[in-house]
Amino acid sequence: MARALGRPLGKCRFYSLTPSSSFCTEGDGFQSSRVKIFDRDLKRKQRDRAAWLMKGKDEFVDSVAENLLDRLHDCRKTFPTSLCLGGSLEAVRRLLHGRGGIEKLIMMDMSFDMIKALKDTDDKYSNENLETFYVVGDEEFLPMKANSVDLIVSCLGLHWTNDLLGAMIQSRLALKPDGLFLASILGGETLKELRIACTIAQMEREGGISPRLSPLAQVRDAGNLLTRAGFTLPGVDVDGYTVKYDSALELIEHLRSMGETNALLQRNHILKRDTALATAAVYQSMFGHEDGTVPATFQVMYMTGWKEHPSQQKAKRRGSATASFQDIQRQFGNNSS
C-alpha cells in the first residue's frame, strides 16, 4: 500500500490505491518473481537506519547521481512529471538543478523514515517552479497508474529488487509514450576486495564460507534486461569508481549509511567477532596502500531506455538495403587508390 506524506489528499489522489484503479502491477507483461533472493522487510529496516545515518553530501553517491542526471542534457524534450525511485533520493533532489524541465517531482521510497527525512529537509531545496510529492511505496509493486509519468529516475536502488525485470516492466508501463527511463545500479565487480577478504577470513576461521555480500548483475545482463522489459533505444554504459577508506570498518559504516548492507534471505545471521577482525586484517594486508588506506571498487551500470512512440527512430526492415558492403568497399578502395 502506498502512502502520501505531508500533502493534502486531493493532491495525492494520483497515488491512492483503490480496487478499481488500473496500476502497473496489473498490466500486460508483468509477472511477479517466484524466486526471492532479498529480504525486502530487512532492506526497508536498513533504509530506515540509513535515513538517520545520512550525513549530507557523499562524494561517491553525488558523482553517480550527477552522471545519471547529466543524461538529461542530451534530451531536447522536457519531462514535466517525473518519478524518482528509492536509492539515492537526496542526492538526486539536491543535484537536479532544473534539468529535464521537471515541474512535478514524485519521490518514492519503501522506507517511511527515509521519506520523512527528505520531507523534513524540503525547505532547503524549495523551488517555486517545482512541486514535490513524497510517497511511501515499493519498487516491486509500483503504485503508479499506467501512462502517468514522463520520466523515471532510479539512482542506486533497483539492484535490491527480487524481480529486476518485473520492476523495469512496471516502470515502462508507468511511463507515457516517449517517456524516459534512467537508472544506475551496482554491477558485479562492486566490492570485489571485500568479497575476497571475507572468503579468505571465513575459510581460515570457520572452515567454510557463507554469503556475506549480495549477488549483482553483470554488464552483459543490463542490455538484455532493457530489451526484455520492452524499452526502445536501449543504452548501457559502465563506470568504475575506487573509493579510499581509512580502514575496512569505515567502509562498512559507509555501506550502512547508504543502506547497502547484506539483505540476502539465505544469509548467516551471526558474524563472529574474530571473523570480522580477520576480514579487516586480510583486507588491509592484501589491498592496503602505503599510507594505510584501503580501496573499495564500485562498478556502476547506467541504463537508458524509452517507451515506444511513433516518432522514434526504428531499424529498417531486413533486406531493404540499397547498397551492399562489397559496393561500399569497392568505392572506398577506388578512392584510396
Side-chain angles (χ1 to χ4, degrees):
M1 180 67 72
R3 291 180 290 172
L5 181 67
R7 297 286 182 179
L9 288 177
K11 288 188 177 181
C12 295
R13 63 186 184 279
F14 193 53
Y15 317 109
S16 298
L17 295 179
T18 60
S20 60
S21 297
S22 176
F23 290 95
C24 298
T25 51
E26 302 169 0
D28 289 340
F30 171 73
Q31 182 179 2
S32 179
S33 172
R34 296 180 180 179
V35 179
K36 302 299 181 184
I37 301 173
F38 302 114
D39 185 337
R40 294 290 288 176
D41 185 57
L42 174 61
K43 180 51 60 179
R44 176 184 56 78
K45 294 176 182 177
Q46 291 174 350
R47 297 285 297 164
D48 288 342
R49 180 177 61 186
W52 296 100
L53 294 177
M54 283 193 308
K55 299 177 181 179
K57 296 181 180 180
D58 183 309
E59 187 174 349
F60 164 66
V61 172
D62 285 3
S63 180
V64 175
E66 183 67 37
N67 286 343
L68 184 65
L69 294 173
D70 194 52
R71 285 151 174 78
L72 294 176
H73 281 311
D74 300 329
C75 304
R76 295 183 179 179
K77 66 172 295 181
T78 58
F79 307 94
T81 303
S82 301
L83 170 66
C84 187
L85 298 176
S88 306
L89 291 171
E90 191 276 335
V92 171
R93 180 183 63 175
R94 176 164 40 83
L95 299 172
L96 191 57
H97 298 318
R99 283 179 282 200
I102 298 173
E103 300 172 3
K104 180 187 292 184
L105 178 63
I106 306 161
M107 308 200 76
M108 192 189 88
D109 198 285
M110 66 191 300
S111 163
F112 179 87
D113 287 356
M114 182 65 71
I115 289 295
K116 186 177 184 301
L118 291 168
K119 178 67 172 63
D120 291 343
T121 58
D122 186 64
D123 293 340
K124 289 184 180 180
Y125 310 100
S126 59
N127 185 339
E128 60 182 12
N129 297 321
L130 180 64
E131 188 177 15
T132 306
F133 293 86
Y134 298 90
V135 177
V136 179
D138 193 336
E139 300 97 326
E140 291 192 347
F141 304 98
L142 199 61
M144 303 296 295
K145 287 187 177 180
N147 304 309
S148 59
V149 295
D150 303 286
L151 170 69
I152 292 180
V153 177
S154 175
C155 183
L156 299 178
L158 285 178
H159 51 269
W160 288 111
T161 55
N162 284 299
D163 184 8
L164 179 54
L165 176 61
M168 292 172 65
I169 290 174
Q170 292 179 70
S171 295
R172 177 180 60 81
L173 293 173
L175 286 170
K176 297 177 183 178
D178 204 29
L180 176 61
F181 172 77
L182 284 178
S184 61
I185 62 174
L186 294 178
E189 292 297 308
T190 297
L191 299 178
K192 59 184 180 181
E193 301 90 352
L194 184 59
R195 293 176 191 273
I196 294 171
C198 278
T199 300
I200 294 175
Q202 283 187 301
M203 289 294 294
E204 289 181 349
R205 300 297 171 133
E206 302 176 16
I209 60 174
S210 59
R212 291 291 178 187
L213 284 89
S214 304
L216 297 168
Q218 300 298 320
V219 176
R220 62 180 178 272
D221 300 326
N224 293 334
L225 284 168
L226 285 167
T227 302
R228 290 174 61 193
F231 288 106
T232 60
L233 307 176
V236 177
D237 55 290
V238 182
D239 275 348
Y241 299 84
T242 301
V243 183
K244 289 184 178 181
Y245 298 91
D246 290 336
S247 67
L249 299 179
E250 186 185 29
L251 164 61
I252 300 302
E253 289 303 315
H254 186 207
L255 295 176
R256 285 176 177 169
S257 69
M258 293 193 297
E260 293 290 338
T261 46
N262 187 12
L264 288 170
L265 273 173
Q266 303 297 326
R267 66 189 181 279
N268 188 338
H269 293 262
I270 300 175
L271 176 60
K272 296 180 180 178
R273 184 174 183 273
D274 58 342
T275 302
L277 294 176
T279 299
V282 171
Y283 201 124
Q284 184 70 47
S285 64
M286 291 187 67
F287 305 105
H289 294 155
E290 292 183 359
D291 60 359
T293 61
V294 293
T297 298
F298 292 89
Q299 184 186 51
V300 181
M301 297 187 291
Y302 298 93
M303 299 187 291
T304 305
W306 296 82
K307 188 166 183 177
E308 187 175 5
H309 188 269
S311 65
Q312 295 171 357
Q313 295 177 346
K314 294 181 176 61
K316 293 291 186 181
R317 181 176 53 83
R318 187 179 180 87
S320 62
T322 57
S324 67
F325 282 108
Q326 290 180 345
D327 294 336
I328 296 174
Q329 187 176 17
R330 278 197 298 269
Q331 180 180 355
F332 280 97
N334 294 336
N335 291 338
S336 62
S337 61

